[in-house]
Amino acid sequence: MLDPLLEQIPQQIERYHVVAISMGSMLASHWAHLDSNKVASLTLINPSFARYSPIHDRFNLQAIPKLLMARLRGRECFEKAILDITFPDHVTNPSILAYHLALNSKHPVRFSNALRQLIAAAKFVGPSQPPPCPTQVITSKHDKLVRSRAGQAVADSWNVHHRSFYSDAHDLPADSPNELADYLYQWLKKLKL
């Protein structure tokens, strides 16, 4: 899964400050260990590794029946159910659901592929040590998909900085873009790389 992603990255850029969310955090943590010369810093948003957390902390198991029922009711109902869990404030802006529906029409995700990704995420053990670059973990305090203590467990086990945002969204960049961007900017400034 990582190789196709890395093929899309411009080779002329020597190093990257990587910010990744959810399953992307799994890929990014692997990449930071695999090619530490390319990763200048690593920020994992709402990560969860099987090495540090049980499945009930890594995924809201109560959401599964709701998602399956929504899937049976059609594409719009399914997209709304996903947003209800990952970005609850979407209800304040109907254009968000419309955007996700349009995106899904243009780039449909087969249910079998989504299931494969969920299984891969559930099985992901994660590295036992942090990468050699400056690393931090950011969590949403009231995340409706992954319990924040799963990310806290990664930070504690790796002995890296942990920052919790007061949010119920798994998709923290969508929920708190300005606050998150400002925090990341300040954190990167302190690194002096």
Side-chain angles (χ1 to χ4, degrees):
M1 198 180 292
L2 183 60
D3 290 338
L5 177 67
L6 294 179
E7 289 171 7
Q8 298 176 43
I9 295 176
Q11 295 303 309
Q12 67 272 23
I13 299 174
E14 291 181 20
R15 299 189 80 204
Y16 298 90
H17 294 280
V18 179
V19 178
I21 180 171
S22 195
M23 189 168 192
S25 292
M26 297 172 195
L27 296 172
S29 67
H30 181 65
W31 181 29
H33 281 86
L34 189 67
D35 193 1
S36 59
N37 293 328
K38 282 275 192 194
V39 181
S41 71
L42 179 65
T43 297
L44 306 179
I45 300 174
N46 292 322
S48 70
F49 299 170
R51 175 182 305 279
Y52 303 120
S53 300
I55 191 68
H56 62 270
D57 281 352
R58 300 184 64 226
F59 189 77
N60 178 356
L61 298 174
Q62 294 175 343
I64 293 173
K66 179 182 177 184
L67 290 172
L68 290 174
M69 290 302 294
R71 175 74 172 114
L72 294 174
R73 291 187 191 118
R75 190 170 53 91
E76 184 170 341
C77 192
F78 187 54
E79 285 296 324
K80 184 183 178 312
I82 291 170
L83 286 171
D84 287 346
I85 295 167
T86 60
F87 182 28
D89 280 354
H90 79 91
V91 297
T92 63
N93 185 347
S95 68
I96 294 170
L97 178 58
Y99 170 78
H100 281 268
L101 287 168
L103 189 63
N104 189 287
S105 286
K106 190 173 182 181
H107 306 284
V109 177
R110 289 192 324 263
F111 185 71
S112 60
N113 190 38
L115 189 58
R116 270 195 304 278
Q117 288 181 29
L118 264 177
I119 291 168
K123 290 181 177 181
F124 184 78
V125 175
S128 61
Q129 300 292 319
C133 63
T135 301
Q136 69 173 331
V137 173
I138 296 174
T139 57
S140 298
K141 187 174 181 81
H142 300 288
D143 189 333
K144 291 188 173 205
L145 182 64
V146 174
R147 288 194 173 141
S148 62
R149 63 182 170 215
Q152 178 75 57
V154 174
D156 290 349
S157 298
W158 283 5
N159 195 30
V160 299
H161 179 71
H162 172 250
R163 167 73 154 81
S164 179
F165 279 72
Y166 191 81
S167 172
D168 62 354
H170 187 66
D171 191 348
L172 186 62
D175 184 62
S176 304
N178 296 334
E179 183 183 359
L180 180 61
D182 183 57
Y183 169 76
L184 289 171
Y185 177 73
Q186 297 302 325
W187 185 75
L188 289 169
K189 270 180 35 177
K190 290 178 194 173
L191 294 182
K192 299 177 185 170
L193 296 175

